[in-house]
Amino acid sequence: MLLFIILYNVLTVDANTKCMSRDSTVVPKYYLIEKCHRSKLSVAFKANFSTLNSCRRLALEKQALALNFSPSGYGKMSRKPVEYTCEVLKCAESEGGLSLKNDTDYDYYSIYAKHLPNVNSSCVPLAGMFYLLSEKNNYTEAERSCRNMSSVLAGVFNEQRTDTLAQVLASSGVEAAYVGLRSNNGSVFRTTHGDSLDCTTYRAWAPGHPRRNLNMSCVVLTRKHTWKTTLCRKSYPALCELLPGGPYRKGTIFPKVKASSQKKSSKIMNAHQKFKSLAPEKVGHNKNAKLPMAKILQYPELRVNPFKDRICKVFSSSNDGDCTFEDFLDMMSVFCDNAPKAVKAEHAFRIFDFDGDDMIGVSDLREVIERLCGTELKLSDSEIQQLVQNVLEEADLDDDGALSFAEFEHIIDKSSDFCQSFRIRL
């Protein structure tokens, strides 16, 4: 729960067992990032509240990194009640806000306001936003590099953090990286914030570790999901954890958009022409026009895509495949050549997650294979099952029978032509 314990006072207890006090913590604040915007990142919990404070309390309780809140509770266009006024999110938007949609019914809030996560950050759901610094440094230099990014060396004090960050290392081809765990006396290990490791029961030490040696006082996380002690003067990459905070300077989540506004305007106009051509009689000058999925699928590059219906549903603000121009523009933005690989990977994962359980399981993989093969290449059930098994053997790093987003990213990182194939031309 490191994100929710950022500042603390040292308690007058035994130095070997010093732990954070609930009374001495400062919880993060959810800052207004953009009005009339709604993030389409994964929702952890939904509820109906009449006040923002109630929504914030739910977000704090669930350790959410961001939230969407509908201040009126009613659609400004439809005047009907929205389904849920409060949506608390597992992750937070990065610079560029590529999952943020114009939505007059909602406002978007995040605990990351002054320093936004960059597009290369990784999210550990309901825990935090992290960076892998690939440049190798000793421990002191690694700490300094993290501080320069308004971060600290990442905490690995529970299984979720250890496993997800180990998958980040594996997907990047990194064997080990410094994390926020160190011993000053060769016996008691402390986190970046000074907590003794004795304050938690979780351990992930590799066999033979920790080594009780005054010179082996720093810790690296390995791609094999284990901790190892090492010499602090040795050079390794580093895993950094972004610290929450504000205030937010309006518009800074869209820096690249503002820097190239003229070029962007031209692309938007081009996209609108394509959208209008699908149903000119319905779109016309109606900026709120929504086209049924059948019309969207007439777009040439979607028409031949085996996942065309899934693409429409993932980008549809109503989740039924029908798309407004904003939905269509979001789709084109993610599928364009310039979209970051991480953003493309996130949306590809959602497209292949047919049952919406935030995992790509056996049934999802079967569906993907069947769609890719089509009717011309009809595989037997045993052949499909063998392909599914092959995928899981290679990519299911924790052997739970399904692919998490981090494991899916590992596959994407090994695919040199992913970005070229995951695109739609305007």
Side-chain angles (χ1 to χ4, degrees):
M1 197 172 170
L2 183 60
L3 281 176
F4 293 81
I5 311 175
I6 301 304
L7 298 176
Y8 65 96
N9 298 316
V10 177
L11 300 180
T12 55
V13 297
D14 178 33
N16 289 336
T17 58
K18 183 182 65 177
C19 299
M20 295 178 185
S21 163
R22 182 180 302 273
D23 294 334
S24 61
T25 62
V26 176
V27 295
K29 178 181 178 181
Y30 292 89
Y31 296 89
L32 175 62
I33 304 298
E34 293 293 335
K35 293 181 71 66
C36 299
H37 280 77
R38 182 185 190 185
S39 174
K40 293 194 71 177
L41 294 173
S42 295
V43 175
F45 298 92
K46 301 177 181 179
N48 279 307
F49 294 120
S50 59
T51 67
L52 175 60
N53 281 341
S54 296
C55 187
R56 281 174 166 155
R57 281 195 293 270
L58 175 66
L60 283 172
E61 176 190 340
K62 303 302 182 182
Q63 301 181 28
L65 305 188
L67 63 88
N68 298 316
F69 180 69
S70 176
S72 69
Y74 284 83
K76 293 183 179 178
M77 300 301 299
S78 66
R79 300 312 304 163
K80 296 179 180 178
V82 298
E83 186 177 5
Y84 294 99
T85 60
C86 176
E87 299 173 335
V88 301
L89 309 178
K90 298 178 181 179
C91 296
E93 293 285 344
S94 300
E95 288 177 346
L98 290 180
S99 296
L100 270 183
K101 293 177 60 66
N102 286 327
D103 190 327
T104 56
D105 300 336
Y106 287 86
D107 299 330
Y108 171 69
Y109 295 77
S110 172
I111 64 174
Y112 302 107
K114 186 175 182 179
H115 301 286
L116 296 164
N118 69 37
V119 294
N120 296 317
S121 61
S122 298
C123 175
V124 177
L126 304 177
M129 303 296 290
F130 299 82
Y131 304 109
L132 173 61
L133 301 183
S134 56
E135 182 182 356
K136 294 183 178 181
N137 289 304
N138 64 37
Y139 188 88
T140 301
E141 292 167 340
E143 279 189 312
R144 185 182 303 115
S145 296
C146 288
R147 283 198 302 270
N148 290 340
M149 300 177 65
S150 299
S151 307
V152 294
L153 283 169
V156 288
F157 46 79
N158 62 35
E159 186 175 8
Q160 181 196 22
R161 284 166 169 261
T162 295
D163 287 349
T164 306
L165 293 176
Q167 289 169 10
V168 170
L169 297 181
S171 65
S172 302
V174 174
E175 290 296 327
Y178 278 124
V179 290
L181 197 59
R182 184 178 185 179
S183 171
N184 290 325
N185 58 11
S187 60
V188 178
F189 286 86
R190 299 190 183 283
T191 69
T192 302
H193 294 278
D195 262 3
S196 168
L197 193 57
D198 293 335
C199 296
T200 177
T201 58
Y202 178 73
R203 301 290 186 274
W205 293 116
H209 291 263
R211 294 180 180 169
R212 301 301 182 181
N213 185 322
L214 287 174
N215 295 321
M216 305 278 284
S217 59
C218 290
V219 177
V220 294
L221 171 68
T222 75
R223 63 187 296 170
K224 295 182 179 179
H225 304 240
T226 59
W227 308 339
K228 288 185 176 181
T229 48
T230 185
L231 297 170
C232 297
R233 65 172 180 269
K234 289 192 68 173
S235 293
Y236 287 96
L239 282 164
C240 304
E241 178 175 356
L242 183 63
L243 293 174
Y248 175 71
R249 186 160 56 86
K250 184 173 174 57
T252 52
I253 198 167
F254 305 117
K256 294 180 181 177
V257 173
K258 288 197 167 188
S260 56
S261 58
Q262 185 173 0
K263 184 177 180 181
K264 177 175 179 285
S265 296
S266 175
K267 288 185 176 181
I268 291 176
M269 291 181 66
N270 187 24
H272 191 267
Q273 288 300 316
K274 298 288 186 181
F275 182 73
K276 183 177 179 180
S277 69
L278 298 173
E281 72 290 345
K282 185 167 185 177
V283 178
H285 297 290
N286 180 10
K287 64 180 181 179
N288 298 314
K290 176 183 280 192
L291 299 185
M293 183 166 63
K295 287 288 187 182
I296 301 297
L297 294 182
Q298 292 177 12
Y299 194 75
E301 292 196 41
L302 278 178
R303 190 162 43 205
V304 298
N305 192 301
F307 303 98
K308 54 190 176 229
D309 60 317
R310 288 292 305 155
I311 293 172
C312 287
K313 288 178 180 178
V314 164
F315 286 95
S316 168
S317 54
S318 51
N319 301 314
D320 57 3
D322 297 351
C323 293
T324 64
F325 174 61
E326 291 293 340
D327 298 333
F328 183 76
L329 187 60
D330 287 343
M331 185 192 303
M332 295 299 110
S333 297
V334 170
F335 278 96
C336 77
D337 292 334
N338 298 333
K341 189 175 184 178
V343 173
K344 287 178 177 285
E346 179 190 338
H347 285 82
F349 182 84
R350 292 170 60 193
I351 290 167
F352 297 153
D353 179 18
F354 288 86
D355 56 14
D357 64 351
D358 290 331
M359 299 288 284
I360 297 180
V362 171
S363 61
D364 297 320
L365 289 172
R366 289 183 66 92
E367 183 71 22
V368 169
I369 292 168
E370 289 174 356
R371 290 191 180 216
L372 287 173
C373 293
T375 56
E376 296 180 2
L377 182 60
K378 186 68 175 175
L379 298 181
S380 67
D381 187 70
S382 61
E383 288 173 322
I384 293 175
Q385 187 59 38
Q386 184 59 54
L387 287 173
V388 169
Q389 189 62 34
N390 291 345
V391 172
L392 291 176
E393 285 179 0
E394 180 177 353
D396 183 15
L397 301 178
D398 57 7
D399 295 323
D400 64 349
L403 302 184
S404 65
F405 176 63
E407 291 167 331
F408 180 76
E409 276 191 305
H410 188 196
I411 299 175
I412 297 304
D413 284 339
K414 296 198 303 187
S415 173
S416 58
D417 61 348
F418 168 70
C419 287
Q420 291 300 310
S421 58
F422 196 81
R423 66 177 182 177
I424 294 176
R425 296 187 181 279
L426 270 175

